[in-house]
């Protein structure tokens, strides 16, 4: 861990920023990319929104109808396939600055900066990447640098937008100990509320907590959570060759049993995954869905296609058939889609397929 330097790069409000870049008249306005709000009657969720929109309480995963009521004067835009094209260009640029790149979604990636030899050099490289992305793509990003992937992701989130935050090993515990538990990747609002009800508010509280208490909340993930909170995580980039699956998921602001909202959210996830599939020149053999109910009760189901597909309609049809087959009508907290058994058209594109969930 002492010699490992990991960076996490997250494009700032990616979809919305691309729209503002392409239409400067949108600059300074609240921009929302997602489903059609239909004047507050629409179904589906926000894919992303500009920082101006976030001032009104809007955020990714929020029902689009709720967003309309909070900010009816926002500019609402349907997602576009151009995001995957921009993403591919960004990842191609990043490969010039690292020996190992792991793309984890259409707008974020981990980079191995260990060859820099020092945090000073790593920060200089990060500044250069930010400069190049702004000059070539007209977009800003936030970068976190740290001795492990979890802390790099935490760091990238500390100063947004357009931030660069470095957490060095000798100051790691001082920085993270007072952070609130929701800063740990994977812990959302509901988990935070549950932890707070047990008087666990900060990383230090989690580090000092009885592991059995954490196991009651997180199950098998409890040890990993405590390692991160204690400053003991040493995870780096995954070195597993071409990724064989990619996934997307949305956590609802409130648990929902609304079939229309679940259906349109599933469609939005499918569109986003399809764009990523096309961007890496791949097809999928298997479509899977993931549903989480209250209390972290999670189920997954999948179906194999008759042949490898890159057709959006086929992906949507498979996902909907799985939902219809086993959703019990109970309120849903999280829903996701995963495409697996990926088949690549062009071996030259394999280096782009470094996804992590």
């Amino acid at each position: 861990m002492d010699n490992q330097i990991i960076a996490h790069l997250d494009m700032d409000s990616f979809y919305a920023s691309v729209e503002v870049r392409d239409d400067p008249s949108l600059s300074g306005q609240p921009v929302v990319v997602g489903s059609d709000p239909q004047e507050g009657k629409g179904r589906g969720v926000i894919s992303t929104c500009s920082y101006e929109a976030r001032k009104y309480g809007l955020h990714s995963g929020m029902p689009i109808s709720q967003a309309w009521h909070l900010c009816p004067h926002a500019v609402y835009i349907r997602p576009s396939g151009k995001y995957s094209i921009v993403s591919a260009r960004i990842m191609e640029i990043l490969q010039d600055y690292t020996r190992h790149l792991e793309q984890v979604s259409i707008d974020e990636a981990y980079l191995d900066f260990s060859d820099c030899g020092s945090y000073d050099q790593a920060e200089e490289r990060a500044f250069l990447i930010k400069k190049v992305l702004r000059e070539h793509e007209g977009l800003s990003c936030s970068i976190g640098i740290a001795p492990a992937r979890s802390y790099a992701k935490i760091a990238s989130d500390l100063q947004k937008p357009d931030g660069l935050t470095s957490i060095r090993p000798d100051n790691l515990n001082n920085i993270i100990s007072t952070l609130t538990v929701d800063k740990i990747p994977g812990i959302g609002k509901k988990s935070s509320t549950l932890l707070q009800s047990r008087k666990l508010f900060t990383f230090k509280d989690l580090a000092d907590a009885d592991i059995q208490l954490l196991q009651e909340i997180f199950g098998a993930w409890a040890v990993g959570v405590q390692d991160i909170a204690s400053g003991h995580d040493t995870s780096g980039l995954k070195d597993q060759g071409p990724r064989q699956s990619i996934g997307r998921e949305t956590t609802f602001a409130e648990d929902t049993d609304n079939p229309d909202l679940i259906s349109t959210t599933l469609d939005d996830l499918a569109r986003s995954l399809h764009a990523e599939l096309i961007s890496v020149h791949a097809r999928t053999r298997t479509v899977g869905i993931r549903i989480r109910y209250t209390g972290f009760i999670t189920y997954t189901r999948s179906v194999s296609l008759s042949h490898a597909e890159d057709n959006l309609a086929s992906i949507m049809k498979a996902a909907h058939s799985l939902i219809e087959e086993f959703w019990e009508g109970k309120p849903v907290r999280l829903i996701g889609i995963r495409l697996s058994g990926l088949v690549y058209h062009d071996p030259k594109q394999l280096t782009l397929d470094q996804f992590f969930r």
Side-chain angles (χ1 to χ4, degrees), residues 37-148:
Q38 297 179 20
E39 297 186 346
K41 299 178 182 179
R43 304 298 183 184
V45 297
I46 295 176
S47 295
T48 190
C49 58
S50 67
Y51 285 91
E52 290 82 1
R54 296 180 192 189
K55 294 176 182 177
Y56 293 89
L58 277 58
H59 58 79
S60 299
M62 172 181 284
I64 202 71
S65 57
Q66 184 180 353
W68 174 269
H69 290 299
L70 289 173
C71 191
H73 60 282
V75 179
Y76 290 87
I77 301 173
R78 294 286 288 162
S80 165
K82 64 184 174 183
Y83 309 134
S84 61
I85 299 173
V86 178
S87 172
R89 290 202 302 260
I90 289 170
M91 297 304 154
E92 185 175 356
I93 290 171
L94 294 183
Q95 291 195 59
D96 291 336
Y97 296 92
T98 180
R99 65 185 183 184
H100 191 179
L101 170 73
E102 182 186 343
Q103 183 178 354
V104 296
S105 73
I106 198 169
D107 62 348
E108 61 179 319
Y110 290 95
L111 303 89
D112 191 333
F113 279 3
S114 302
D115 62 319
C116 288
S118 72
Y119 278 80
D120 286 342
Q121 291 296 318
E123 289 168 14
E124 287 187 17
R125 182 178 295 180
F127 273 119
L128 180 58
I129 288 174
K130 287 168 64 66
K131 179 174 181 289
V132 170
L133 289 181
R134 187 174 290 280
E135 290 177 349
H136 285 254
E137 292 297 330
L139 299 170
S140 70
C141 66
S142 295
I143 300 178
I145 302 172

Side-chain angles (χ1 to χ4, degrees), residues 169-233:
D170 58 358
N171 203 31
L172 174 63
N173 285 316
N174 288 336
I175 292 175
I176 69 172
S177 62
T178 58
L179 294 178
T180 53
V181 294
D182 61 316
K183 294 297 184 182
I184 291 181
I187 293 184
K189 183 178 179 181
K190 195 147 193 172
S191 303
S192 299
T193 301
L194 182 58
L195 289 169
Q196 290 166 10
S197 71
R198 306 293 183 90
K199 307 300 181 184
L200 301 174
F201 301 100
T202 67
F203 276 48
K204 186 178 188 306
D205 293 336
L206 285 179
D208 296 339
D210 187 324
I211 190 62
Q212 291 185 342
L213 173 60
L214 297 184
Q215 286 173 339
E216 291 176 8
I217 300 172
F218 298 111
W221 192 39
V223 174
V225 170
Q226 193 162 60
D227 279 347
I228 293 173
S230 304
H232 296 154
D233 183 38

Side-chain angles (χ1 to χ4, degrees), residues 233-291:
D233 183 38
T234 59
S235 57
L237 273 65
K238 295 190 176 297
D239 188 14
Q240 56 184 14
R243 187 73 176 188
Q244 292 304 305
S245 66
I246 57 176
R248 285 283 187 282
E249 58 188 34
T250 288
T251 300
F252 295 105
E254 295 181 0
D255 295 3
T256 180
D257 59 3
N258 185 317
D260 291 335
L261 177 57
I262 291 172
S263 177
T264 53
T265 300
L266 208 63
D267 287 344
D268 287 342
L269 292 171
R271 290 188 187 95
S272 178
L273 270 177
H274 177 255
E276 206 158 318
L277 195 68
I278 297 302
S279 74
V280 296
H281 300 267
R283 293 169 291 160
T284 181
R285 292 193 183 100
T286 304
V287 178
I289 64 169
R290 183 183 188 206
I291 287 185

